[in-house]
Amino acid sequence: MQGIKNISRSRAQESSAAIEKLYITMRHLFNRGFYKPMGVSGDTLREALLSLRPEIYGSIAEEKAELNGLLYVIERLPIGIEECRFVNLTSDEGYSKSHFKAIVPPKRKRNCYRIDDEQMNVEITRGRSDIYDILTHLTFIYIESYKIKDRVIIDDNTEIARDWVKLEQVIQANAKLNLVEREQAISHVSNILGRTFAEITDIYDAFGTAAQPDRFLHVIYWLGRLAIEEAQGGPKRTITFSPILRERLGHHIHGEIWADNIKMVLKQNGLLERPIHIISANMHSVMNSVYAPFVLKTKFKDKTDFSGFEELSKANNGALRDKVEEEALKNGMIAMPDTSGTNIDVQIFDAAKIDFAKTAFHNIKIADKPPVIIVMDYAFGEQAYETIDELLKPFKEGKLRSFLNVESVSIMGKAGILEGGKGDIMIPSAHINEGTGDNYPFDNELTPEMFAGQGIPVYSGPMVTVLGTSLQNKDLLRFFNESTWGVIGLEMEGSHYQKAVQSASKIRKSINPDVKVRYAYYASDNPLETGSTLASGGLGTTGVKPTYMITIKILEQIFNNKPNDKTN
């Protein structure tokens, strides 16, 4: 009889199972309506995250605190959430009309409201991906808080470490610290966190704000304090989901309002019948690519256009950006700041009103029906399906339905790369859904050859659409890259966009079945390289050239109107 093979799971398989467990558990807890992250109901989430050990969370499974991961998370959560015992996830339920002041995290567009000393409300208007993102980040900081608790409580819960007492005195004094006092506090915190004085000093200022330069100490103190109170029998931290959120989620409420607003503006400007091209990008690259070279031609007459784009990207050049926007608004652009709750701003460009002699595309010959370009800001995860799905539906007014003449959908964004480095370009040939294996091949109008000879490496192949960038680890990503999947990068929206485009064009027939799609990404990080994850910092000006190279290629195809030309 043949012996039973001893099968052991690889780290990639364990990681895949952990992600699936996280996904299922979060949906279960959402349907339940509440849970206690550090109680029995939060066990599965904590265990799965510790099993996964995502790269962005660094030393989450070790005794020492994770500093870069904590900074990454804190920048994506509202200021003060570390002080709150109760976090309530809500839909848009009218808090914007109350006396509560909206708190918007520096690196995530979401409105949050501090209800009282113990409660923070977080508005969810961007779909399930927003919930996964928040719950993962909260689970991480609660795990870190218990690390602090374990180093502070000594002698079987009967004594508190001296370093903690000293930190508490600093926080309760609530006074601005001089250099000596700050370094004394850092010395105590280094013992609490199991990190060196130098490591904390290096990251200290990144946590600070203008109003609270010593915020790092406050974050550590409040995380530790709530964990200590829990361990000593006090009330546990609780995350709740409002009944309205549970009722509305998945119904495309915000996406429908957003899409209807766009279609109404198109109608008011007589643009509904024109050829429409949709671009998902940031709110500057299309506008700057068209108008900036003309506006800045005197200032940068001896330099390349990319030099001007780099200047525009610098934080202190607001006046220069305003000048370009002013020219754009007078010359064919309509700005639509979001009012729907999706947090996705929109720009509409009417080629019939653009004086191309005053743009970078002065040699372009526009077709009889000038194109209309709709530029939408980045969606977030599953929100990409909600917004594009609604936008591609016919415009309804009473009993009348008007089908949009959508000729192309282009996606330009940031993504993690698995073969190159920051700033490199990726041209996908398919999107694969992580976990399910659902896949979406497509004919990409953009090709690697279009970007050759520009000094930037270009990679082509399938890309994986992940549940969240904060859930990735090297073992799983290396499997995707080195196995027959041959994945070159990871992002969060691609398959959701393509699913919406395919259903609208191939099944529901609401748009042209031969609609053209363009996907291109530039690398924001390489999670397979130590020191190159998202937690290691931003791109700086490294992303400027690839961003504008991709944008310009998309615009050249739209303006030249050469549907079968892939050598442009």
Side-chain angles (χ1 to χ4, degrees), residues 84-134:
C84 296
R85 200 181 306 279
F86 303 98
V87 178
N88 184 26
L89 289 109
T90 73
S91 180
D92 180 358
E93 300 176 18
Y95 285 99
S96 59
K97 298 179 177 66
S98 69
H99 76 280
F100 296 112
K101 184 179 179 181
I103 305 170
V104 181
K107 298 292 179 70
R108 278 283 186 271
K109 289 183 179 179
R110 54 171 71 112
N111 291 331
C112 309
Y113 301 92
R114 183 75 177 263
I115 303 304
D116 53 37
D117 289 346
E118 291 190 307
Q119 181 178 333
M120 180 73 75
N121 280 15
V122 181
E123 275 188 4
I124 302 295
T125 58
R126 306 175 79 178
R128 288 191 179 90
S129 295
D130 223 7
I131 294 176
Y132 305 149
D133 187 62
I134 290 169

Side-chain angles (χ1 to χ4, degrees), residues 19 52 54 56 72 108 129 132-133 136 380-381 434 465-473 490-492 534:
I19 288 176
L52 184 61
I56 210 162
Y72 179 86
R108 278 283 186 271
S129 295
Y132 305 149
D133 187 62
T136 307
F380 188 73
E434 179 186 49
T465 299
V466 299
L467 185 65
T469 53
S470 58
L471 292 179
Q472 303 313 303
N473 73 357
L490 63 147
E491 47 75 54
M492 284 183 63
L534 284 170

Side-chain angles (χ1 to χ4, degrees), residues 184-247:
Q184 287 174 341
I186 290 174
S187 177
H188 294 303
V189 169
S190 69
N191 289 333
I192 293 169
L193 300 182
R195 288 287 190 174
T196 67
F197 181 88
E199 286 174 322
I200 294 176
T201 302
D202 287 344
I203 205 167
Y204 190 93
D205 289 336
F207 280 81
T209 63
Q212 199 176 28
D214 300 304
R215 187 178 174 224
F216 178 80
L217 300 178
H218 289 259
V219 170
I220 299 304
Y221 172 73
W222 280 100
L223 287 179
R225 173 173 163 173
L226 295 185
I228 292 167
E229 289 175 358
E230 283 185 9
Q232 293 178 335
K236 294 187 180 297
R237 285 168 286 191
T238 304
I239 294 174
T240 56
F241 308 91
S242 79
I244 303 299
L245 174 64
R246 291 158 64 200
E247 177 186 310

Side-chain angles (χ1 to χ4, degrees), residues 278-286 375-378 409-415 446 497 518-522 543 546-552 554:
I278 300 167
I279 303 177
S280 172
N282 50 57
M283 288 288 96
H284 58 77
S285 59
V286 172
V375 180
M376 57 180 284
D377 206 348
Y378 297 125
V409 178
S410 304
I411 312 299
M412 188 279 291
K414 293 185 293 186
L446 298 175
Y497 280 125
R518 305 180 187 91
Y519 290 90
Y521 302 89
Y522 62 94
T547 297
Y548 284 93
M549 282 174 60
I550 295 168
T551 304
I552 289 167
I554 291 172

